[in-house]
Amino acid sequence: MRVQGRWTPVCAYSDLLPGRGTAVLVDGRQIALFRNRAGRVYAVGNRDPFSGAQVISRGLLGSRGPVPVVISPMYKQAFDLRTGACLDEESAPLPVWRVRLTAPPAPCAGDVAPPTGNAHRPETARS
């Protein structure tokens, strides 16, 4: 994600569930990340401009015609995920950040994995 003129890694693509939002904190600012069902990722401000609550990441994803939107969970305004514009009231846009997807880093010597390559068993697992 591009914040203040520099790219900042915030999470793995696989951490973003299709159709759901995730809030991240970058330079002290809450940002809502969304991955739609087509795989596109968007980043907008997490603060609802009408209520002041940090809740946009909990909004519903959808579309109005060809426009991908998030519906605020507070008062149900729709915001264009590409531009941040409020489609219901012109005076309250969300800030928007550019998103860049990159290949995951290669594992390094400090990464821990079982020798078999299988997932770790939880310590509370029954045998």
Side-chain angles (χ1 to χ4, degrees):
M1 161 180 303
R2 192 165 180 90
V3 179
Q4 296 180 352
R6 63 183 165 80
W7 288 103
T8 303
V10 293
C11 69
Y13 181 78
S14 60
D15 292 337
L16 301 172
L17 298 174
R20 299 268 175 115
T22 300
V24 297
L25 188 63
V26 179
D27 294 336
R29 191 168 199 175
Q30 286 193 35
I31 298 172
L33 294 178
F34 295 95
R35 176 176 156 195
N36 68 10
R37 299 206 184 274
R40 179 88 193 262
V41 178
Y42 301 94
V44 297
N46 196 37
R47 183 181 172 278
D48 180 311
F50 297 97
S51 69
Q54 301 281 353
V55 296
I56 295 298
S57 63
R58 293 191 243 160
L60 297 173
L61 287 184
S63 63
R64 283 202 181 162
V67 178
V69 298
V70 60
I71 308 296
S72 170
M74 295 301 289
Y75 301 121
K76 311 303 184 243
Q77 286 90 356
F79 296 91
D80 184 333
L81 287 168
R82 302 167 305 175
T83 66
C86 180
L87 302 181
D88 299 314
E89 299 188 35
E90 295 177 16
S91 64
L94 296 175
V96 177
W97 287 268
R98 289 178 51 202
V99 175
R100 177 176 71 176
L101 302 179
T102 60
C108 66
D111 290 344
V112 177
T116 61
N118 296 326
H120 287 284
R121 288 178 54 195
E123 291 184 27
T124 59
R126 295 182 187 162
S127 300

